Amino acid sequence: MKDITEIKIKQDLPQQQRYNDFIQQIKNPYNFLYKDFKIHIQFSKTDKTIQDVLNDYDKALKNQS
């Protein structure tokens, strides 16, 4: 696994080439390291957006106090 903090994107490249450069360096954008943390990204099979989830989380926090 590659540490994302070690990735260096060449800013002078066009957008698509920067993207390709990033993918070549990180290998798997869904599994990588951030310093000492393993990061695994996955998508759930739901119609909820990230905004919906964050709003629900915010409401739950407010209800705890």
Side-chain angles (χ1 to χ4, degrees):
M1 252 188 248
K2 181 78 174 190
D3 188 329
I4 199 164
T5 62
E6 297 174 3
I7 302 293
K8 304 292 183 224
I9 304 296
K10 298 172 191 161
Q11 297 298 316
D12 58 329
L13 295 175
Q15 182 179 359
Q16 185 63 44
Q17 287 179 329
R18 287 193 311 261
Y19 172 77
N20 292 340
D21 185 42
F22 171 76
I23 296 299
Q24 285 178 346
Q25 291 182 61
I26 199 77
K27 304 294 186 227
N28 184 346
Y30 300 104
N31 290 298
F32 57 89
L33 297 172
Y34 175 75
K35 300 184 181 181
D36 293 333
F37 297 96
K38 289 183 180 179
I39 307 297
H40 174 74
I41 298 172
Q42 64 185 33
F43 299 94
S44 62
K45 295 176 182 168
T46 178
D47 290 335
K48 277 191 166 188
T49 66
I50 187 69
Q51 190 64 48
D52 295 335
V53 173
L54 292 173
N55 286 338
D56 291 348
Y57 179 69
D58 185 50
K59 287 177 191 174
L61 288 177
K62 288 178 181 173
N63 288 336
Q64 286 181 351
S65 25

